[in-house]
Amino acid sequence: MTVQTRLASAEELESVFQRELTTDRWAATETAYALAVRHRDLGDRPKSREWVQQCLRLLEGFPSDTEEQVATSRTSVGGVQLPTYLHEGVVRERFGDLD
């Protein structure tokens, strides 16, 4: 039996992001990544790029020396699958050239 997860809208994810930003910065980083994916999937490349940059800024505040430090705490956010590990290299690989 498969369970379908409803995809959260970009607006719903942005609301979640704002709440997480004040309570759990790692969760906010994961949500920023999910927002980048969601906007990319919607075809809004500029908005996706904004969320990629937000995700990268947040990642700068976390250590990334071990797999344990970059392991995501959730498998998905709002129906968007997260990578197993979240760090700058993964983000740049998945979203390509950001300039």
Side-chain angles (χ1 to χ4, degrees):
M1 177 177 180
T2 34
V3 176
Q4 292 280 344
T5 302
R6 182 183 77 79
L7 294 177
S9 70
E11 293 78 18
E12 289 171 316
L13 285 175
E14 287 183 29
S15 176
V16 168
F17 172 80
Q18 291 302 326
R19 189 170 47 254
E20 290 172 343
L21 197 55
T22 62
T23 60
D24 185 341
R25 289 181 62 80
W26 183 253
T29 305
E30 293 175 346
T31 301
Y33 176 89
L35 276 156
V37 171
R38 173 71 76 242
H39 284 291
R40 181 189 64 197
D41 292 351
L42 292 171
D44 189 344
R45 186 170 166 78
K47 197 72 165 166
S48 176
R49 187 177 300 123
E50 286 178 31
W51 284 105
V52 167
Q53 293 297 342
Q54 177 70 274
C55 181
L56 290 172
R57 278 191 297 275
L58 287 166
L59 284 170
E60 288 175 3
F62 293 100
S64 59
D65 300 323
T66 67
E67 286 182 353
E68 185 176 86
Q69 291 172 324
V70 297
T72 52
S73 60
R74 302 175 281 186
T75 57
S76 68
V77 173
V80 174
Q81 287 298 122
L82 295 176
T84 303
Y85 302 107
L86 185 57
H87 55 81
E88 180 183 0
V90 168
V91 174
R92 292 189 182 282
E93 178 184 305
R94 303 237 173 140
F95 289 93
D97 184 22
L98 302 170
D99 301 324

